[in-house]
Amino acid sequence: MEEPGQLKRALIDATAGAISGAVSRTVTSPLDVIKIRFQVQLEPTAQWALLRKDSYRPSKYTSMWQATKDIFREERLPGFWRGNVPALLMVMPYTAIQFTVLHKLKTLASGSSKSEDHIHLSPYLSYVSGALAGCAATVGSYPFDLLRTILASQGEPKVYPTMRTAFLSILQRRGIRGLYAGLTPTLIEIVPYAGLQFGTYDTFKRWTMAWNRHRSSHPNESDLFLSSFQLFLCGLAAGTCAKAVCHPLDVVKKRFQIEGLPRDLRYGARVEDRAYKNMFDALCRILQTEGWAGLYKGIVPSIVKAAPAGAVTFVAYEFTSDWLESVST
């Protein structure tokens, strides 16, 4: 069978990536909102930490269940999808760019554009390809990520009623550079995150194929094809591993993104404009004032969200890509 043309393959990857990203983001939006509220809260996010004498004011959110109840009581169901429009505008080009670049890099490394040939690549090439694809996707979609964080963290009453007002206010107050606040820790985070996510996903797929062959009494070519449940488990494990390692840099990124946001004081102390000089200063300041727990604020909803998000993204991508290939031949 003749390999598809480069343009056709790029369109398939971009479309499948955009659709999988949109599905995953919409499904996991409530967990993302809870995670962001924890990450931008300067006060402790665990009830036991409130017993410390240096806890200078009550915390708005202290557990996932309490945060869920509070957001629902104050903002109803729409509160869990705050910032979902810019999130979709961010994640659709992000995943489209990511999967397109990833497939192109794997094609160059393997000499074939067929996805089944990519599974035999070295794990190191999978990690490097994933990291480079993540960097390209981040730069291309970052302003929407920043707008998503601001809209999801502002609470009630809204500081910005629409994405447009938030965009114009940031431009007026912080200039073009304001739309890229926190880009440095994001790029430093995305290299290990994307590398781990895609690298471990390919590794788990290889292990699962080997397990299929091992348990089969008559190994054949069908053992190379994984079921949707097996793909789901591979994506689940890959998303969990990547998020657990890279979470502190995500916290730093969120702090840069909401600097100067004048949200209601019932949500806790505000992150003042230019509160941190740079990424290293932010890490040191958070460690000094909030301890190690400060760098892992929101880790529970983050992992709870990252696991299904990674699984849904990979499964949706695999099925959409296969379907597009079948209807275009």
Side-chain angles (χ1 to χ4, degrees), residues 90-110:
M90 178 271 291
V91 80
M92 290 180 75
Y94 180 92
T95 47
I97 294 169
Q98 189 177 43
F99 279 107
T100 302
V101 173
L102 181 69
H103 191 275
K104 183 65 177 174
L105 290 170
K106 286 186 173 182
T107 297
L108 290 172
S110 66

Side-chain angles (χ1 to χ4, degrees), residues 289-307:
T289 58
E290 303 170 51
W292 281 100
L295 291 175
Y296 284 91
K297 283 181 175 176
I299 186 64
V300 174
S302 182
I303 287 181
V304 171
K305 173 221 163 191

Side-chain angles (χ1 to χ4, degrees), residues 106 114-121 200-227 230-231 233-234 318 322:
K106 286 186 173 182
K114 291 182 178 179
S115 298
E116 53 265 33
D117 293 331
H118 296 170
I119 199 66
H120 304 297
L121 281 176
T200 52
Y201 179 65
D202 285 344
T203 299
F204 287 130
K205 281 176 69 176
R206 276 192 292 273
W207 289 350
T208 307
M209 287 177 186
W211 184 73
N212 284 349
R213 285 193 295 269
H214 176 73
R215 68 172 187 161
S216 176
S217 55
H218 302 288
N220 53 55
E221 204 171 302
S222 64
D223 294 327
L224 296 176
F225 296 97
L226 306 183
S227 68
Q230 287 176 323
L231 288 172
L233 289 179
C234 290
E318 299 270 4
D322 289 345

